Amino acid sequence: MGIILRITLRNIWYRYQSSRNWVLRRVSLELESGEAVLVRGPNGSGKTTLLKIASLIYRPTIGSIYIDGESFWDLDSRRQVIHRRRIAFVHDRPVMLRGSVSYNIKIGLIIRGAGKDYIEKRYREIIEELMLEKIENKNANQLSAGQAHLVAIARALITQPEILFLDEPFIHLDSDRRDLLARSLSRRRRDGVGLVIVSHDIDTARSIGIDRVLEMEQINRYSIEQDSV
Amino acid sequence: MSIAGEDIAGIAIRSIVISGSATLLASLWSIPISYIIAIRGVRKSIEAVIEAMVGMPTVLLGLLLYYLFTSSGPLGFLGLLYTPIAIIIGEAILITPLLIAVIYRASRDIIVSRLELAISLGASRIQTISMLARETSSGVIAAIIMGFSRALGELGIALMVGGNIKDYTRVMTTAIALDIIRGDFEKALALGLILLLIIVSIMIAIKRLSDIKTIWGSY
């Protein structure tokens, strides 16, 4: 992967519509393809929110996000879609669409308008890599939490993102599947894919080859008393 | 088919066409409104108002529409009073809160989670809408069935703005009401049973169709 994708968060503040409390305060950081970043912090410290903002899902309440130098939220929707297709996000409680496992894995490529043969080729590669062959025809809404998690990761990997955001990727997996996923992610890292991982399973995360650890206490001033901006 | 000189089949078909049109019309604005409020979120008080509107008395709505459509009313120049269009408009307004409340309740959590997924997958606006429509279809179908049933069994609006004109605005419920006033209870009862049969048959047909669609959607 030659071209580096760089996402810059500058002075990000975020609070949910229903709340007066700031989840993120004055967060500034840079993420790029080719490096693996582990985000650590206690529950409620804003790790998931940070991931959703950095992966261009949530719009920050205050602050800017630059992607390859362009202010993402000032772009038109067509440009935003182009940038979003370069990254992927896997939630810690993945959502399955109505339909089979194979449909759920292929959806990212279907959305991108990829050809049928290419989708099928990439799909075969991914389900073999993550050993999902046995469940490929199952209804996606009847999977166990661990299976659903692997399917969500397969759905993200099939699109070959330049940066992959993972929220607690090992949480529902048994030790064999955890190792399988760690190997898969480690391979992606060597291929130049950026990984931003929120995980309490530090040992497994470190086995991927972490370049940088972000401590939420240091990057997010969430502990400061609520004030007005 | 006719009972005591009344063309029952004609009345039944008119009832289905009028109520179906009202449901279709109400769906045109209710589905997008439900999606918008599910995405943006609304205050609990607005949710309560929408749900309270579900029980709006049809006679009150009929009366308001009568004042609007009557020749001296603000919309009198349209000449809609005592026409099937007036009934369609009235029934569409009547079932709007029901459609919004049911679609919103059934789809709110699905819409929020699927919207995040669609964004993270890099879906365009049209692809996102299509994904949300697919994911929420069972809730939408349930709401449409309920709305259609309510419209079909509605009396106050059909009577007040339709006028129960033979072969023009007479629907099943107004025909039943007329027969009761005339004291022809046997005919009223027969019409009532036919109305019930129509509602149940249509519900079963829609449910079966949506089940088939769900099975297709799974693979």
Side-chain angles (χ1 to χ4, degrees):
Chain A
M1 203 167 284
I3 303 163
I4 289 177
L5 171 65
R6 185 170 287 118
I7 299 174
T8 308
L9 279 70
R10 198 164 292 167
N11 194 25
I12 299 294
W13 293 67
Y14 188 83
R15 69 175 167 202
Y16 289 91
Q17 267 181 351
S18 54
S19 170
R20 293 181 61 198
N21 297 324
W22 293 100
V23 182
L24 298 179
R25 295 165 174 265
R26 254 177 278 168
V27 174
S28 293
L29 57 95
E30 212 160 81
L31 303 164
E32 59 183 36
S33 50
E35 70 165 352
V37 178
L38 176 65
V39 183
R40 292 202 319 182
N43 292 335
S45 59
K47 301 185 295 294
T48 299
T49 306
L50 176 68
L51 238 58
K52 286 185 178 177
I53 287 176
S55 59
L56 314 173
I57 298 172
Y58 284 1
R59 184 177 191 152
T61 313
I62 300 170
S64 306
I65 297 181
Y66 294 90
I67 180 157
D68 282 349
E70 291 185 296
S71 175
F72 178 79
W73 290 102
D74 293 329
L75 296 174
D76 61 46
S77 59
R78 196 184 59 85
R79 289 285 300 159
Q80 287 183 347
V81 165
I82 290 170
H83 282 310
R84 281 197 179 111
R85 289 182 180 182
R86 300 172 70 187
I87 61 176
F89 172 80
V90 181
H91 204 283
D92 61 340
R93 289 187 299 272
V95 169
M96 292 291 116
L97 297 171
R98 280 171 57 176
S100 64
V101 165
S102 64
Y103 172 73
N104 270 273
I105 294 174
K106 290 172 184 173
I107 186 70
L109 291 180
I110 294 170
I111 280 173
R112 283 158 177 77
K116 224 173 176 177
D117 292 343
Y118 177 73
I119 293 176
E120 206 50 44
K121 179 177 158 285
R122 286 287 305 141
Y123 170 69
R124 285 284 143 215
E125 287 169 5
I126 290 293
I127 61 162
E128 278 168 28
E129 183 181 344
L130 295 179
M131 296 171 67
L132 295 169
E133 297 98 325
K134 280 186 185 165
I135 59 164
E136 65 175 314
N137 292 318
K138 270 183 103 171
N139 184 331
N141 285 303
Q142 290 170 353
L143 300 176
S144 69
Q147 287 173 328
H149 218 102
L150 276 181
V151 169
I153 290 167
R155 180 166 61 195
L157 290 178
I158 200 170
T159 60
Q160 295 181 300
E162 293 170 56
I163 300 182
L164 176 58
F165 294 86
L166 298 157
D167 193 1
E168 295 290 358
F170 310 110
I171 196 165
H172 301 294
L173 305 180
D174 58 41
S175 60
D176 289 346
R177 299 283 169 174
R178 250 194 330 260
D179 293 343
L180 178 76
L181 178 59
R183 282 198 302 276
S184 174
L185 294 177
S186 182
R187 197 175 314 132
R188 294 293 182 306
R189 184 186 162 275
R190 285 197 300 276
D191 291 344
V193 175
L195 299 172
V196 183
I197 302 170
V198 166
S199 181
H200 287 104
D201 186 349
I202 308 298
D203 292 338
T204 311
R206 284 197 188 282
S207 72
I208 296 165
I210 296 296
D211 298 302
R212 192 154 55 109
V213 178
L214 295 176
E215 297 285 352
M216 285 306 287
E217 287 98 330
Q218 287 170 13
I219 61 167
N220 182 26
R221 315 254 176 133
Y222 70 93
S223 56
I224 298 171
E225 286 300 302
Q226 186 183 328
D227 59 5
S228 57
V229 180
Chain B
M1 186 175 71
S2 67
I3 298 176
E6 197 90 65
D7 178 16
I8 304 299
I11 295 173
I13 290 168
R14 194 175 307 115
S15 294
I16 292 168
V17 170
I18 288 176
S19 302
S21 305
T23 309
L24 198 67
L25 187 65
S27 301
L28 287 179
W29 56 68
S30 301
I31 296 171
I33 290 172
S34 311
Y35 283 4
I36 290 167
I37 62 173
I39 291 167
R40 299 207 169 158
V42 285
R43 288 169 197 270
K44 292 265 179 241
S45 55
I46 295 175
E47 278 184 29
V49 168
I50 293 169
E51 278 166 10
M53 296 281 280
V54 173
M56 181 171 24
T58 60
V59 178
L60 175 66
L61 183 58
L63 193 62
L64 289 171
L65 290 170
Y66 179 85
Y67 277 117
L68 278 177
F69 293 144
T70 193
S71 56
S72 56
L75 300 176
F77 65 95
L78 294 172
L80 291 176
L81 193 63
Y82 303 137
T83 67
I85 294 172
I87 308 176
I88 290 171
I89 293 170
E91 288 182 351
I93 295 169
L94 176 76
I95 65 171
T96 291
L98 177 70
L99 290 183
I100 293 174
V102 175
I103 296 171
Y104 172 68
R105 285 277 174 208
S107 313
R108 181 181 46 187
D109 294 342
I110 297 174
I111 286 175
V112 172
S113 61
R114 270 51 168 194
L115 185 66
E116 272 190 19
L117 178 63
I119 292 170
S120 70
L121 287 169
S124 66
R125 204 163 286 179
I126 291 168
Q127 287 170 329
T128 303
I129 292 167
S130 150
M131 187 186 284
L132 293 181
R134 183 178 183 275
E135 291 293 306
T136 57
S137 60
S138 49
V140 172
I141 289 168
I144 288 172
I145 290 173
M146 289 169 80
F148 179 69
S149 306
R150 176 99 206 266
L152 204 58
E154 188 284 324
L155 172 67
I157 293 167
L159 206 55
M160 294 184 88
V161 298
N164 197 19
I165 300 165
K166 194 181 177 193
D167 298 331
Y168 187 49
T169 58
R170 183 162 300 167
V171 291
M172 295 298 280
T173 49
T174 56
I176 292 168
L178 183 67
D179 287 330
I180 291 170
I181 292 165
R182 282 175 178 161
D184 194 346
F185 292 105
E186 278 181 21
K187 194 179 152 203
L189 191 64
L191 282 171
L193 288 173
I194 291 168
L195 178 64
L196 190 66
L197 196 68
I198 291 169
I199 291 175
V200 171
S201 306
I202 290 172
M203 296 312 120
I204 290 170
I206 294 173
K207 187 79 183 64
R208 284 191 72 115
L209 278 172
S210 64
D211 284 348
I212 292 166
K213 192 178 166 293
T214 307
I215 292 164
W216 282 349
S218 300
Y219 294 99

